[in-house]
Amino acid sequence: MTQTTRYVRLVTEVPGPRSRELMARKERVVANALSIHVPVAIQEARGALVTDVDGNVFIDLAGGMGCMNVGHSHPRVVEAIQRSAAQFTHTDFSVIMYESYIRLAERLAALAPGDFPKKACFFNSGAEAVENAIKIARKYTGRRAVIALEGAFHGRTNLAMALTSKAKPYKEGFGPFAPEIYRVPTPYTYRRPAGMSEAEYVRFCADALERALITHVSPDEVAAIILEPVQGEGGFIPLHPDYLARVSQLARKHGFLIIADEIQSGFGRTGTFFASEQLGLVPDLICVGKSLAAGMPLSGVIGRAEVMDAPEDSTIGGTYVGNPVACDAAHAVLDIMEEEGLVSRARAIGDLMRRRFQELAVQLESIPGSRLQIGEIRGLGAMLGVELVTDRATRAPATAEAAEVVKRAWQRGVVVVKCGIYGNTLRMLLPLVITDDQLNEALDIIGQICTEIARGE
């Protein structure tokens, strides 16, 4: 099979013979829980293009699950990693410190929202950042309870799983979970109750939070509320500014902290460096990761200096956290973001995608007996979610159809992933260095696939 396009190049069926061979080897020795979304093996990648071991070239709209804002193998990042590794690869910062860690904390403290002194500390994974943010909040407040939102995803370690809302596949069979976690509704306005306006539903969810401080947990026992300014796994749902204003009001009134999990929404993806900036939110603590170091294992917590200093000596840390090679990669990322204007580029990408998906929505709705429609296009900047439904009137989730879109897309050379509590939302996590031509080609393919499914083909 050969498909000729400008950027996608398929020289074998997908998956090709070498990828199938590697998949068979994987099945023999790798735990089954590590399932593969796209059954191909990568050979190399540049920018927004990925080449597999069979020579097939794909347009990548998943970006290593949101890690590749500056694109695959950016020369500046590669050079920084090579230079850093040639100097030293590890000391454990708490044993022998290094300047790159300190300078990264300085840079992120300056970038984070809030006109107050800030400090930072670094870890390996997003889940580690989340768990440490909770530890810091508990130490500072002397309280134990944490409030989390429906639809939240905060990681796969025990406390992070307790904070995560989607039961399957993330929590089923893994309990018991960490205690003192309390769940409140998310203002997921697309799926608000019939007859309720958007403003009314936002107030309803904010009222539910306030009521939870009476019916579920005493506000005097709440250390923090943790939230994603744009929910990731939950469906790319930006939290409404009015809701966040009420959250901030309640936090100030009762003395608990606000933790913003910006692991997926951070570093320019939403059209501002942090999504919180667009939503009027000034968090006490911010969790960062993913695109912080272009896929190198690095995460962090940035927050108010007095809060960050609450834990005693050696209560926060780890052997590999804030690895020097990863820190140098992060510096390269920050330089690239500024020099290549990727924050404004995210806004342009978002505008292009929103226009194309709006056009596709009209096209799908015009198909007689359409079996697939676009219910809502939402998000900030290039962090765009497209919720697929089988009927716009009933808003019935197109769960199976979304899975079919993803499958047909990689078969035709486009890597895209989905999310949402019903698994029916296409999520755009593409590198911000993607060109308009590459993006339009990928969207052409997705549009063709959606049209075929809508027609029952």
Side-chain angles (χ1 to χ4, degrees):
M1 168 186 170
T2 300
Q3 176 177 313
T4 303
T5 49
R6 186 171 179 184
Y7 295 101
V8 170
R9 185 170 67 92
L10 302 184
V11 297
T12 73
E13 61 182 343
V14 180
R18 290 204 62 206
S19 285
R20 293 197 301 271
E21 177 189 348
L22 286 168
M23 181 64 78
R25 290 169 57 188
K26 177 262 181 191
E27 295 295 327
R28 287 194 294 270
V29 297
V30 178
N32 285 344
L34 293 162
S35 57
I36 307 297
H37 289 280
V38 181
V40 301
I42 186 172
Q43 181 70 40
E44 63 177 10
R46 299 286 184 275
L49 302 178
V50 174
T51 303
D52 74 7
V53 291
D54 293 290
N56 299 305
V57 180
F58 301 80
I59 300 174
D60 182 12
L61 302 186
M65 209 56 89
C67 292
M68 308 310 296
N69 279 6
V70 301
H72 293 280
S73 304
H74 194 291
R76 293 280 297 279
V77 175
V78 172
E79 191 275 333
I81 291 170
Q82 291 172 335
R83 183 183 64 251
S84 183
Q87 293 173 328
F88 59 97
T89 59
H90 175 69
T91 66
D92 186 330
F93 183 78
S94 63
V95 177
I96 302 177
M97 66 179 176
Y98 33 92
E99 190 267 346
S100 58
Y101 187 117
I102 299 166
R103 188 161 63 93
L104 185 59
E106 291 171 338
R107 296 180 76 175
L108 292 179
L111 286 166
D115 185 19
F116 42 78
K118 307 180 197 76
K119 290 189 175 183
C121 52
F122 300 111
F123 308 101
N124 298 302
S125 69
E128 275 189 272
V130 166
E131 297 232 358
N132 279 287
I134 299 299
K135 288 168 62 178
I136 293 166
R138 285 172 167 169
K139 274 287 186 180
Y140 178 76
T141 62
R143 305 173 182 181
R144 299 294 173 261
V146 179
I147 297 173
L149 273 59
E150 289 181 355
F153 180 85
H154 297 294
R156 292 177 170 89
T157 50
N158 187 266
L159 175 55
M161 274 194 298
L163 297 167
T164 291
S165 178
K166 194 171 182 179
K168 193 169 183 176
Y170 302 118
K171 302 176 72 170
E172 185 180 46
F174 290 124
F177 302 109
E180 293 294 324
I181 306 298
Y182 298 89
R183 188 82 53 199
V184 296
T186 293
Y188 182 2
T189 56
Y190 178 66
R191 296 200 172 273
R192 63 187 181 271
M196 188 178 287
S197 71
E198 180 175 308
E200 289 170 338
Y201 187 57
V202 170
R203 285 196 298 272
F204 171 84
C205 291
D207 290 344
L209 169 60
E210 190 161 11
R211 189 167 57 252
L213 297 173
I214 300 171
T215 61
H216 291 303
V217 60
S218 167
D220 295 335
E221 296 177 352
V222 176
I225 181 170
I226 184 168
L227 50 83
E228 300 158 275
V230 181
Q231 283 199 336
E233 181 65 28
F236 274 34
I237 302 167
L239 297 186
H240 198 284
D242 292 347
Y243 176 79
L244 292 174
R246 285 282 299 279
V247 170
S248 298
Q249 180 185 34
L250 290 169
R252 288 192 299 270
K253 177 181 178 181
H254 297 295
F256 58 82
L257 303 182
I258 299 174
I259 302 172
D261 181 344
E262 294 241 22
I263 291 164
Q264 192 164 158
S265 61
F267 297 97
R269 179 170 301 282
T270 63
T272 48
F273 203 84
F274 292 101
S276 298
E277 299 172 59
Q278 294 183 60
L279 302 173
L281 179 66
V282 181
D284 300 290
L285 297 169
I286 302 175
C287 300
V288 295
K290 286 191 181 289
S291 276
L292 169 59
M296 295 291 287
L298 185 67
S299 65
V301 178
I302 314 158
R304 294 179 181 271
E306 69 273 18
V307 177
M308 296 292 292
D309 282 342
E312 299 87 355
D313 180 41
S314 298
T315 56
I316 298 292
T319 302
Y320 305 109
V321 298
N323 173 269
V325 180
C327 284
D328 280 323
H331 284 294
V333 166
L334 294 178
D335 292 342
I336 294 162
M337 295 290 296
E338 180 179 356
E339 292 168 14
E340 298 188 11
L342 294 187
V343 174
S344 60
R345 175 62 182 155
R347 295 192 290 271
I349 288 172
D351 291 342
L352 190 159
M353 289 195 295
R354 190 175 292 274
R355 175 178 57 79
R356 290 294 308 273
F357 279 115
Q358 287 169 343
E359 292 169 355
L360 179 60
V362 173
Q363 180 181 335
L364 295 178
E365 197 165 11
S366 70
I367 296 172
S370 176
R371 301 182 183 185
L372 180 66
Q373 297 179 11
I374 292 176
E376 185 176 49
I377 304 162
R378 58 176 175 260
L380 300 176
M383 191 173 179
L384 203 71
V386 182
E387 182 158 358
L388 302 179
V389 295
T390 56
D391 185 286
R392 283 175 58 86
T394 65
R395 303 186 179 185
T399 303
E401 292 80 3
E404 184 65 16
V405 171
V406 170
K407 178 181 178 180
R408 293 191 193 186
W410 58 251
Q411 288 175 332
R412 301 184 195 182
V414 175
V415 179
V416 64
V417 290
K418 57 187 178 65
C419 63
I421 59 174
Y422 302 108
N424 66 321
T425 299
L426 302 179
R427 57 171 155 176
M428 301 296 129
L429 286 170
L430 48 107
L432 302 181
V433 297
I434 195 169
T435 68
D436 284 358
D437 286 346
Q438 290 168 344
L439 180 54
N440 277 313
E441 182 174 314
L443 296 178
D444 286 344
I445 292 170
I446 290 173
Q448 181 183 3
I449 291 166
C450 289
T451 301
E452 292 169 357
I453 294 173
R455 291 173 174 162
E457 299 173 0

